[in-house]
Each structure stands twice: as structure tokens, then as C-alpha cells.
Amino acid sequence: MSPSRERRSSATSVDVVVVGAGFAGLSAAERLVNTGLSVLVLEGRDRVGGRSLSGEVAGVKVDLGATWVAQRHTAIRDLARRAGLTTTRQFSQGQNVLWLAGRRRTYKGTIPKVSPMTLVDMARVQLALEKLVASIDVEAAWDSPRAVEFDAISFGEWLDRKHALPATRALMTVVSKVQWGCSPGDVSLLHALRYIRAAGGVDHMLDVEGGQQEERYIETTQEIANRVAKQLGDRVVLGTPVRRITQDGDGVTVATDSAEIKAKYAIVTVATSHRAGIEFHPALPEQADGLAKTWRMGVLSKAFVAYDKPFWRADGLSGEGVTDTGTVFITFDVSPDNGPGVLMAFCDPRTFDGFSPERRRSMVIEQLVQLYGPQANAPIDYIDHRWGEEPFAPGGPNPAVAPFATTSYGRALVEPHGRVHWAGTETAGEWAGCMNGAVLTGQRAAERIAAALAREPREAAMR
């Protein structure tokens, strides 16, 4: 059976209602079903996968959202393996390209090889950053030593205080845009440190070989969610936003536009800022309400340009490029083993999203010509996706949390609201911000609720 797109308006009763059919919600539902509990997953979008979304360019499936998995991402890899998906290594052979201050260079490895002075500065800043990262409690960053101090400034202000050179600043800006969908000045230093620690450190977060960008799924990451949802069948209901969750000592009532579902517990897996779109009775505590208002999603856009062949490889280039000019700021080669050449470009929504499709295409191709030469001016296909323009639950890839919001509201990430539990990659400790974290949080919430349900008959008998 496939996920249902409609459900009758009469009330339904299950053990657990899961809100959201991303990796956290689907993983929670799978774990609960395996323990013998009845589950209903309600998804506002007309698809599953959350921030994973499949597209197609020149007949090649591509990831418009979440893309890579590391060897250490065991939870998502296990889910994908059981769903029958296949990984492929991210292509990284050859020289990378850097366009900086109007000049094109090539380099090998993660860190661009520019002037000796810049290399020393990059190493200095990275070492200072790693020292701060090591002090962060990844499960409770707000309780870390110097947490208040780190949360009082932005990542950009910290770079200013370290007197980072322009090239170092440019690299860290790329990191910030990819990870949080914002510039360094828009994200708290503490929040940045928490996510870097959760990702396994700066090197693991940035590297292809041995890092978080090591492998992709040939079938795309959304296909993992599609297959898990298919196994769950009509337990997954699409196009059904949750409007209200009411609870008392015995259970919860989850209201949509067409139905009220009664359950013992609910698991809400939507992104932190999207919790504000649900009405809670009783109301959320002050910290939880503040979290929903201040942990706003960042915004990121992606474009894919296809060519007859990956021509850049003949020039000894990897397809990985970094630039400090224009809308594109980083590219990767996501070509299939046999087929056309495909470059994936991350785009800054501030200089991309507001333009027409034709203008967006021309801007991207113009920058690819700068990076890879005149052959880049002859694409055979193009596609892009603007996450900030999503009609439901817009934004991505992660919250762009400003100064003070982590120490003020971070504790509310995982603290249950009565019979409402939270999951989603934002609520993870280790691996927060990636698919692996999402899967782990869904499984964690499911296990806690299964344990609570197992205790309830004993507790009732004792009363």
C-alpha cells in the first residue's frame, strides 16, 4: 500500500500520532509499528521526505535537498540498506577551482591553496575554532562552559575578533551558507560550535574523502523516505497539516482540517520554527514558545546544470569549486557513472530566488563559465529549487539561530510537553543537522513512548 492522500473526516484512534513524514517521523513510526503499536503519520506536504526532495535533470535523478552520507552515519545508512538503496562515492578526483577576488586558481584538498599568509591564517582560525568546539557539550550546548559568552556574539563577530583575512572569511561564509542557510553574522557562535561538534569537527564536516560529503545515493535520499512510507502504507497520510493538539492526563487529540485523531501520545517532528504553526492546548511553556519563535530556518537554493559529458574531468578538475562572487558559492560534480555530466551548485537565495527562471539559469551558467571555461556555456538541461519558496514549511537546511536564542531556549528542543514529544534533526545531539540525526531522534522518541505505554497499565493498576 502507498501513503494515503485522503482520510475520512470521522475521528480515528491510535496509540501514537506522528506529525511530519520526514526521516524523523518515518523512523519513529517504523520503530513504533515494530513494537506492535498503532500509528498514524500526518504530513502537511503532498509528499514524504521533508528536506529531502528528488528532481531530474537530463534524465538523471538528483537531490534537490539533503544529499550526502558519511561512513559514520550508521542510522540513515541502515535505513537505506533495508530499503534497498545503493550508494555511490562523491567524485573528488583532480583539482578543485577557486574564484576569489576576481582571480581563478586551482587547488587540491578541502582548504584552498592561496597565498602562504592566507594558508597560515586559515590554519590559525581553524585551530582556534576546533578548541572552542571541543568545549561544547553536544547534548546540551547551553550548559557548556562559556556558553553565555559564546551565545552573545555571532560567528561573524568572532571572525572579526580573530582578525580573519578576507580569504579565510570567504571560506567560513561558504561553510555558514551551506550549513545554516545564512551568513556568519546571522548565526550565534554557540549555535555554530554546537553544529560543528555534532558533525564530528570541522574536518569531518567539510571533507569529501572520509567526511560528511563522502557518498550519495544513486536513487536519491528522498527515495529512502518513499520506500519506508510505502512499507507503512495507509498509516501515512499526506496533504494533511496538523492545526491543533489538545491533551489531558489520558491522551491527546490531534486536529486537522478534516479529522480529529485521538491517541495516547504525539510525536512532533517538524522543524523548530514550524512548531509555531500548531495550536497547543494547554499552551506551550514559555521556553518552548520562545524556541519556535527564535529558531527560524535558514534559506538555501540549489541548481543543477547538465552537459553532454563531464568535460571538466578531461582538464583534471574535480567539479568542486568555491567562489566569492555572484549567486553560486560552491559546486560539486554529481554526474552518474555512465551518462551526462552534472554540476550541482549551491546558490545564495538573496541574489537568486527573486529572479525569473530564465535569469536564474543564466546567472548560474555565467558563473560556471568563470569556474570551468567556455564549455560550461553549452548545457543540455537545467533545474533549480528554492527552499525558501516552498508553499508549506519553507526554509532549510537548518535553523539560523541568532545570538542569545540558544542559551535562552535551547533546553526546550527535546523536553516533552506533557504527552507531546519532539523529534527532528534539530533535536539531535550528535549528528544534529543531518539525516542521520533525524533518524536517531525519531527512534529515540519512539522508544521513550513505547516504554511509557508499557508502564501505564502497571501504574494504573497501582492506583
Side-chain angles (χ1 to χ4, degrees), residues 77-99:
R77 293 175 73 91
D78 180 62
L79 191 68
R81 178 188 56 77
R82 289 187 281 109
L85 274 75
T86 309
T87 58
T88 183
R89 294 183 70 83
Q90 171 60 45
F91 186 82
S92 60
Q93 300 171 27
Q95 296 285 309
N96 304 333
V97 178
L98 173 68
W99 182 278

Side-chain angles (χ1 to χ4, degrees), residues 60-384:
V60 178
K61 291 183 178 181
V62 293
D63 287 298
L64 301 177
T67 303
W68 292 287
V69 290
Q71 290 294 330
R72 294 164 61 186
H73 291 170
T74 55
I76 184 67
R77 293 175 73 91
D78 180 62
L79 191 68
R81 178 188 56 77
R82 289 187 281 109
L85 274 75
T86 309
T87 58
T88 183
R89 294 183 70 83
Q90 171 60 45
F91 186 82
S92 60
Q93 300 171 27
Q95 296 285 309
N96 304 333
V97 178
L98 173 68
W99 182 278
L100 185 65
R103 180 183 173 189
R104 182 182 182 275
R105 304 174 177 88
T106 58
Y107 66 98
K108 184 69 176 175
T110 303
I111 304 299
K113 304 298 189 291
V114 284
S115 69
M117 182 180 297
T118 299
L119 286 176
V120 170
D121 187 63
M122 286 182 177
R124 175 184 66 86
V125 171
Q126 182 173 342
L127 179 61
L129 192 60
E130 290 281 19
K131 287 182 178 178
L132 299 186
V133 167
S135 72
I136 300 301
D137 179 349
V138 74
E139 300 294 338
W142 39 92
D143 289 331
S144 302
R146 303 174 66 188
V148 173
E149 176 188 348
F150 295 158
D151 204 30
I153 63 171
S154 70
F155 185 29
E157 287 177 281
W158 180 80
L159 291 171
D160 290 340
R161 294 181 183 185
K162 300 303 292 185
H163 304 290
L165 293 179
T168 302
R169 183 70 180 242
L171 177 62
M172 292 301 171
T173 297
V174 169
V175 171
S176 184
K177 288 179 178 180
V178 171
Q179 294 296 321
W180 307 293
C182 68
S183 297
D186 298 323
V187 63
S188 153
L189 174 62
L190 180 61
H191 186 70
L193 296 174
R194 173 179 179 254
Y195 267 63
I196 295 170
R197 180 65 185 266
V202 174
D203 287 336
H204 192 261
M205 184 172 73
L206 300 181
D207 286 350
V208 173
E209 293 292 331
Q212 288 209 137
Q213 285 70 236
E214 188 163 20
E215 292 185 324
R216 299 179 287 110
Y217 284 100
I218 294 173
E219 300 87 351
T220 74
T221 61
Q222 191 193 8
E223 184 60 19
I224 308 171
N226 288 337
R227 296 187 187 185
V228 175
K230 186 175 182 180
Q231 293 168 0
L232 291 168
D234 61 7
R235 298 182 184 92
V236 180
V237 184
L238 304 180
T240 308
V242 168
R243 305 302 187 186
R244 184 175 64 256
I245 300 178
T246 304
Q247 63 175 307
D248 56 28
D250 296 322
V252 300
T253 301
V254 179
T256 70
D257 292 333
S258 60
E260 286 191 347
I261 302 97
K262 295 186 181 299
K264 290 294 185 180
Y265 288 90
I267 302 176
V268 176
T269 70
V270 300
T272 46
S273 60
H274 300 149
R275 296 180 188 179
I278 302 173
E279 183 181 344
F280 291 91
H281 295 282
L284 293 177
E286 184 177 350
Q287 273 201 338
D289 183 59
L291 181 86
K293 292 176 179 176
T294 61
W295 280 52
R296 299 184 180 91
M297 294 299 293
V299 186
L300 188 63
S301 298
K302 292 174 77 173
F304 295 81
V305 187
Y307 299 90
D308 286 326
K309 59 183 179 181
F311 63 84
W312 50 90
R313 295 183 184 181
D315 296 329
L317 299 178
S318 67
E320 184 174 339
V322 177
T323 173
D324 68 341
T325 303
T327 188
V328 173
F329 55 87
I330 192 168
T331 69
F332 291 91
D333 179 344
V334 292
S335 309
D337 289 338
N338 296 295
V342 181
L343 288 171
M344 174 174 67
F346 286 82
C347 303
D348 188 331
R350 296 172 300 180
T351 56
F352 184 74
D353 285 10
F355 293 95
S356 68
E358 296 76 17
R359 178 58 180 153
R360 296 198 303 270
R361 180 182 183 276
S362 66
M363 289 191 297
V364 171
I365 293 171
E366 180 181 339
Q367 285 194 260
L368 295 184
V369 170
Q370 288 181 334
L371 292 171
Y372 300 109
Q375 291 185 81
N377 205 27
I380 61 172
D381 201 6
Y382 172 92
I383 187 176
D384 64 35

